[in-house]
Amino acid sequence: MSEEPDSTAVRTALWRGLHTLVDDPPHVLDDAIGAEIAGVDETWRARPDMDPARTRANRASIVARARAVEDTVIASGAGQYVILGAGLDTFAQRHKGPVRVFEIDAAATQAWKRARLVQLGLFDSTRLHLVPVDFEAGESWLDKAVEAGLDPAVPTVVSMLGVTMYLTPEAISTTLRQPASLAAGSIMVFSYSRPIEMAPPEVRPILEGAAKGAAASGHPWLSLLTPDQAAGLARQAGFAEVEVVTSTALHERYFAHRRDGLSPVGGEDLVIATAGGDHLSPE
């Protein structure tokens, strides 16, 4: 395979796997499959960006947001789950059941992942649909998902994690209007990062370093949002109910009784927005 997965997607998958290897049980998320799909060699844990101490905050935030989304999917009873910017997500491999999963990402990423899943014997075409979308060309992810078999009249959960900081507010609004047009009861879950000055003092240097690294790699952070701004974007998109779940709330939900000090506080917050079913135009 000549193509390789996005480096950010690989790093996220490895952090999720690292959680099960270095953090105390009970694990917030058990995901060793992502590292297997990534196909990295046995030296990956020696990478500087895998240092257990330096990456604690990032690792906690990554597993917290993933666990919250997956809990939402399961609790909702939705029969369809759409993952925007899916990367090396492994929900379809770890959760056996009736939920049909539509992973949305760039064509090269999807081709690489499909080949890798087939190679590992992990591709179930009856449940998992890898949907290539060229966002830069203005393609609609919803149109492409419907072409792949998504039923817009059926309640659906849509997630978008670790993406909003790379989009302008206008682009976020455009993206959110599409799931807001789905069947009543459909849920959109997206993460957002607050302005760095709103983070706890001990976390700010980590965020500043991450912002510089993102800019240097050609992926600058374009939208750092306050909770009110993030919720406002969801309401403007047409969602009937909007809830902000802060990183502090995620700590209380999944980390409060841990003894190892692992915590997502200062990381990404979530917005959970529910569609009212008035079928707004996704345009």
Side-chain angles (χ1 to χ4, degrees):
M1 292 177 287
S2 59
E3 298 288 349
E4 295 182 355
D6 179 79
S7 60
T8 301
V10 171
R11 183 165 54 249
T12 298
L14 296 183
W15 277 341
R16 287 164 60 143
L18 191 65
H19 173 58
T20 66
L21 294 173
V22 302
D23 296 322
D24 294 344
H27 297 121
V28 177
L29 190 80
D30 284 312
D31 183 8
I33 301 176
E36 183 180 4
I37 295 172
V40 292
D41 63 36
E42 64 275 5
T43 66
W44 68 269
R45 289 182 61 182
R47 290 171 37 163
D49 60 352
M50 291 297 125
D51 179 85
R54 288 179 54 244
T55 64
R56 279 172 61 85
N58 305 81
R59 192 167 68 246
S61 183
I62 290 293
V63 299
R65 72 188 193 188
R67 172 66 182 274
V69 170
E70 295 186 5
D71 283 355
T72 299
V73 174
I74 294 168
S76 72
Q80 301 179 141
Y81 177 31
V82 177
I83 310 172
L84 302 181
L88 300 185
D89 191 272
T90 60
F91 179 90
Q93 287 77 49
R94 291 179 293 106
H95 293 273
K96 305 303 180 183
V99 181
R100 300 170 66 218
V101 181
F102 295 80
E103 296 189 5
I104 313 294
D105 217 320
T109 299
Q110 298 298 64
W112 184 93
K113 187 173 185 179
R114 180 184 297 272
R116 184 67 179 148
L117 290 174
V118 169
Q119 183 182 52
L120 296 172
L122 295 174
F123 186 60
D124 180 358
S125 61
T126 63
R127 294 186 59 243
L128 176 61
H129 306 271
L130 300 178
V131 184
V133 175
D134 188 345
F135 290 101
E136 294 184 1
E139 291 185 344
S140 165
W141 66 261
L142 181 54
D143 288 347
K144 292 292 184 179
V146 170
E147 290 176 11
L150 182 78
D151 185 349
V154 173
T156 302
V157 175
V158 181
S159 71
M160 182 170 66
L161 302 179
V163 174
T164 57
M165 70 278 290
Y166 303 111
L167 304 177
T168 64
E170 294 75 19
I172 297 171
S173 294
T174 298
T175 302
L176 294 180
R177 282 198 293 271
Q178 297 179 14
S181 72
L182 294 172
S186 292
I187 299 172
M188 176 76 200
V189 185
F190 68 92
S191 67
Y192 69 93
S193 292
R194 298 188 185 202
I196 293 175
E197 61 269 20
M198 292 184 68
E202 65 273 16
V203 178
R204 290 174 197 167
I206 299 173
L207 296 176
E208 290 168 352
K212 290 179 181 177
S217 68
H219 301 286
W221 290 356
L222 301 177
S223 293
L224 298 179
L225 307 170
T226 67
D228 285 346
Q229 288 171 331
L233 287 171
R235 292 190 181 96
Q236 291 167 18
F239 286 98
E241 300 177 16
V242 177
E243 175 190 6
V244 173
V245 182
T246 66
S247 62
T248 300
L250 290 173
H251 173 90
E252 292 301 318
R253 186 181 299 182
Y254 299 120
F255 298 80
H257 301 294
R258 298 186 65 88
R259 298 181 178 179
D260 58 3
L262 192 70
S263 175
V265 172
E268 290 177 283
D269 294 348
L270 296 176
V271 171
I272 301 178
T274 304
D278 48 2
H279 298 287
L280 301 174
S281 169
E283 298 302 326

